[in-house]
Coordinates of all heavy atoms in Angstrom, one line a residue:
I339 N 84.9 134.6 40.0 CA 83.5 134.6 40.1 C 82.8 134.0 38.9 O 81.9 133.1 39.0 CB 82.9 135.9 40.5 CG1 83.0 136.2 42.0 CG2 81.4 136.0 40.1 CD1 82.2 135.2 42.8
I342 N 83.4 130.2 39.0 CA 82.5 129.6 40.1 C 81.0 129.5 39.7 O 80.3 128.5 40.0 CB 82.6 130.4 41.4 CG1 84.1 130.2 42.0 CG2 81.6 130.0 42.4 CD1 84.3 131.2 43.1
Q343 N 80.6 130.6 39.0 CA 79.1 130.6 38.5 C 78.9 129.5 37.5 O 77.8 129.0 37.4 CB 78.8 132.0 37.9 CG 78.6 133.1 39.0 CD 78.2 134.4 38.3 OE1 78.4 134.6 37.1 NE2 77.9 135.4 39.1
R344 N 79.9 129.2 36.7 CA 79.6 128.3 35.6 C 80.1 126.9 35.8 O 79.6 125.9 35.1 CB 80.4 128.8 34.4 CG 79.6 130.2 33.8 CD 80.6 130.9 32.8 NE 79.9 132.0 32.2 CZ 79.9 133.2 32.8 NH1 80.4 133.4 34.0 NH2 79.2 134.2 32.3
N349 N 81.6 125.6 42.3 CA 80.5 126.3 43.0 C 80.0 125.5 44.3 O 79.7 126.1 45.2 CB 79.3 126.4 42.0 CG 78.2 127.3 42.6 OD1 77.3 126.9 43.3 ND2 78.1 128.6 42.1
T353 N 80.0 127.3 47.8 CA 78.6 127.7 48.4 C 78.0 126.8 49.3 O 77.0 127.1 49.9 CB 77.7 127.9 47.1 OG1 77.4 126.7 46.4 CG2 78.2 128.9 46.2
R357 N 74.7 127.4 51.9 CA 73.4 126.7 51.6 C 73.0 125.9 52.8 O 71.8 125.9 53.2 CB 73.6 125.8 50.4 CG 73.8 126.5 49.1 CD 74.0 125.5 47.9 NE 74.5 126.2 46.7 CZ 73.7 126.8 45.8 NH1 72.5 126.9 46.0 NH2 74.4 127.4 44.8
P392 N 68.4 134.0 48.3 CA 69.4 133.2 47.9 C 70.3 132.9 49.1 O 70.4 133.7 50.0 CB 70.1 133.9 46.8 CG 69.1 134.9 46.2 CD 68.2 135.2 47.4
P393 N 71.0 131.8 49.1 CA 71.3 130.9 48.0 C 70.1 129.7 47.8 O 69.2 129.6 48.8 CB 72.5 130.1 48.4 CG 72.5 130.1 49.9 CD 71.9 131.4 50.2
G394 N 70.1 129.1 46.7 CA 69.1 128.1 46.4 C 69.3 127.0 47.4 O 70.4 126.4 47.4
S407 N 74.5 123.1 43.4 CA 74.7 124.4 43.0 C 73.8 124.8 41.9 O 73.7 126.0 41.7 CB 76.2 124.5 42.4 OG 76.4 123.6 41.3
K408 N 73.1 123.9 41.3 CA 72.1 124.4 40.2 C 70.9 124.9 40.7 O 70.2 125.5 40.1 CB 71.7 123.1 39.4 CG 70.9 122.1 40.1 CD 70.6 120.9 39.3 CE 69.8 119.8 40.0 NZ 68.4 120.3 40.3
N409 N 70.6 124.8 42.1 CA 69.4 125.3 42.6 C 69.6 126.8 42.9 O 70.5 127.3 43.4 CB 69.1 124.7 44.0 CG 69.0 123.2 43.8 OD1 68.3 122.7 42.9 ND2 69.6 122.4 44.8
G410 N 68.5 127.6 42.4 CA 68.6 129.0 42.5 C 67.4 129.6 43.0 O 66.6 129.1 43.7
Y411 N 67.1 130.9 42.7 CA 66.1 131.7 43.3 C 64.7 131.1 43.0 O 63.8 131.0 43.9 CB 66.2 133.1 42.8 CG 65.1 134.1 43.4 CD1 65.2 134.7 44.6 CD2 63.9 134.3 42.5 CE1 64.1 135.4 45.1 CE2 62.8 135.2 43.0 CZ 63.0 135.7 44.2 OH 62.0 136.5 44.8
W448 N 63.6 141.0 44.4 CA 64.8 140.0 44.0 C 65.8 140.9 43.4 O 65.7 141.5 42.3 CB 64.3 139.0 43.0 CG 65.4 138.0 42.6 CD1 66.5 137.6 43.2 CD2 65.5 137.3 41.3 NE1 67.3 136.7 42.6 CE2 66.6 136.5 41.3 CE3 64.7 137.3 40.1 CZ2 67.0 135.7 40.4 CZ3 65.0 136.5 39.1 CH2 66.2 135.6 39.2
R449 N 66.9 141.2 44.1 CA 67.9 142.1 43.7 C 69.0 141.5 42.8 O 70.1 141.3 43.1 CB 68.6 142.6 45.1 CG 67.6 143.3 46.0 CD 68.2 143.4 47.4 NE 68.5 142.1 48.0 CZ 69.0 142.0 49.2 NH1 69.3 143.0 49.9 NH2 69.3 140.8 49.7
T450 N 68.5 141.3 41.5 CA 69.4 140.6 40.6 C 70.6 141.4 40.2 O 71.6 140.8 40.0 CB 68.5 140.5 39.3 OG1 68.0 141.8 38.8 CG2 67.3 139.6 39.5
E451 N 70.6 142.7 40.4 CA 71.8 143.5 40.1 C 72.9 143.2 41.1 O 74.1 143.5 40.7 CB 71.4 145.0 40.1 CG 71.0 145.6 41.4 CD 69.5 145.4 41.8 OE1 68.8 144.5 41.4 OE2 69.0 146.3 42.6
M452 N 72.5 142.7 42.2 CA 73.6 142.3 43.3 C 73.9 140.9 43.2 O 75.1 140.5 43.1 CB 73.0 142.6 44.6 CG 73.9 142.2 45.8 SD 73.2 142.5 47.4 CE 72.1 141.1 47.5
W453 N 72.9 140.0 43.0 CA 73.2 138.6 43.0 C 74.1 138.1 41.8 O 74.8 137.2 41.8 CB 71.9 137.8 43.1 CG 71.3 138.0 44.5 CD1 70.2 138.6 44.8 CD2 71.9 137.6 45.8 NE1 69.8 138.6 46.0 CE2 70.9 138.0 46.7 CE3 73.0 136.9 46.2 CZ2 71.1 137.8 48.1 CZ3 73.2 136.7 47.6 CH2 72.2 137.2 48.5
S454 N 73.8 138.9 40.7 CA 74.5 138.4 39.4 C 76.0 138.6 39.5 O 76.8 138.1 38.7 CB 74.0 139.3 38.3 OG 74.3 140.7 38.5
R455 N 76.5 139.4 40.5 CA 77.9 139.5 40.8 C 78.5 138.5 41.8 O 79.7 138.6 42.0 CB 78.2 140.9 41.3 CG 77.8 142.0 40.4 CD 78.2 143.4 40.9 NE 77.8 143.8 42.2 CZ 76.6 144.5 42.5 NH1 76.0 145.0 41.4 NH2 76.3 144.8 43.6
G456 N 77.7 137.5 42.2 CA 78.1 136.7 43.2 C 78.0 135.1 42.8 O 77.6 134.8 41.8
P457 N 78.5 134.2 43.7 CA 78.6 132.8 43.5 C 77.3 132.1 43.4 O 77.2 130.9 42.8 CB 79.5 132.3 44.6 CG 79.2 133.2 45.7 CD 79.0 134.6 45.1
F458 N 76.2 132.7 43.9 CA 74.9 132.0 44.0 C 74.1 132.2 42.7 O 73.0 131.6 42.7 CB 74.1 132.5 45.1 CG 74.7 132.4 46.5 CD1 74.8 133.4 47.3 CD2 75.4 131.1 46.9 CE1 75.6 133.2 48.6 CE2 76.1 131.0 48.1 CZ 76.1 132.1 48.9
W459 N 74.5 132.9 41.8 CA 73.8 133.2 40.5 C 73.9 132.0 39.6 O 74.9 131.4 39.3 CB 74.5 134.4 39.9 CG 73.7 135.0 38.7 CD1 74.1 134.9 37.4 CD2 72.5 135.7 38.8 NE1 73.1 135.6 36.6 CE2 72.1 136.2 37.5 CE3 71.6 136.1 39.9 CZ2 71.0 136.8 37.2 CZ3 70.5 136.8 39.6 CH2 70.1 137.3 38.2
T460 N 72.8 131.6 39.2 CA 72.6 130.3 38.3 C 72.3 130.7 36.9 O 71.8 131.8 36.6 CB 71.7 129.3 38.8 OG1 70.3 129.8 38.7 CG2 71.9 129.0 40.4
R461 N 72.4 129.7 36.0 CA 72.0 129.9 34.6 C 70.5 130.3 34.5 O 70.1 131.1 33.8 CB 72.3 128.7 33.8 CG 73.7 128.4 33.5 CD 73.9 127.3 32.6 NE 75.4 127.1 32.2 CZ 76.2 126.3 32.9 NH1 75.7 125.6 34.0 NH2 77.5 126.2 32.6
E462 N 69.7 129.5 35.4 CA 68.2 129.8 35.4 C 68.0 131.3 35.9 O 67.1 131.9 35.4 CB 67.5 128.9 36.2 CG 67.1 127.6 35.5 CD 66.1 126.7 36.3 OE1 65.9 126.8 37.5 OE2 65.3 126.0 35.6
D463 N 68.7 131.7 36.8 CA 68.5 133.0 37.4 C 68.8 134.1 36.3 O 68.0 135.0 36.1 CB 69.5 133.3 38.5 CG 69.2 132.5 39.9 OD1 68.1 132.1 39.9 OD2 70.1 132.3 40.7
A464 N 69.8 133.9 35.5 CA 70.2 134.8 34.4 C 69.0 134.7 33.4 O 68.8 135.8 32.8 CB 71.5 134.4 33.8
E465 N 68.6 133.5 33.0 CA 67.5 133.3 32.0 C 66.3 134.1 32.4 O 65.6 134.7 31.6 CB 67.3 131.8 31.8 CG 66.2 131.6 30.8 CD 65.9 130.1 30.8 OE1 66.7 129.2 31.4 OE2 64.8 129.7 30.2
F466 N 65.8 133.9 33.7 CA 64.5 134.4 34.0 C 64.5 135.8 34.6 O 63.4 136.5 34.4 CB 63.9 133.6 35.3 CG 63.7 132.1 34.9 CD1 64.0 131.0 35.8 CD2 63.1 131.7 33.7 CE1 63.7 129.7 35.5 CE2 62.8 130.4 33.4 CZ 63.1 129.4 34.3
S467 N 65.7 136.3 34.8 CA 65.7 137.7 35.3 C 65.6 138.7 34.1 O 65.0 139.8 34.3 CB 67.0 138.0 36.0 OG 68.1 137.9 35.2
H468 N 66.0 138.3 33.0 CA 66.0 139.1 31.8 C 66.6 140.5 31.9 O 66.3 141.4 31.0 CB 64.5 139.3 31.3 CG 63.7 138.1 31.0 ND1 64.1 137.1 30.1 CD2 62.6 137.6 31.6 CE1 63.2 136.1 30.2 NE2 62.3 136.4 31.1
G469 N 67.4 140.6 33.0 CA 68.1 141.9 33.1 C 67.2 143.0 33.5 O 67.6 144.2 33.5

Side-chain angles (χ1 to χ4, degrees):
I339 282 295
I342 293 171
Q343 287 180 345
R344 290 167 175 79
N349 190 282
T353 66
R357 293 179 197 274
S407 61
K408 67 181 180 65
N409 302 317
Y411 178 82
W448 182 27
R449 300 162 299 179
T450 56
E451 66 276 31
M452 180 182 77
W453 295 114
S454 63
R455 301 189 295 266
F458 304 128
W459 192 249
T460 67
R461 288 188 177 89
E462 275 197 332
D463 289 341
E465 176 187 349
F466 294 141
S467 67
H468 302 302

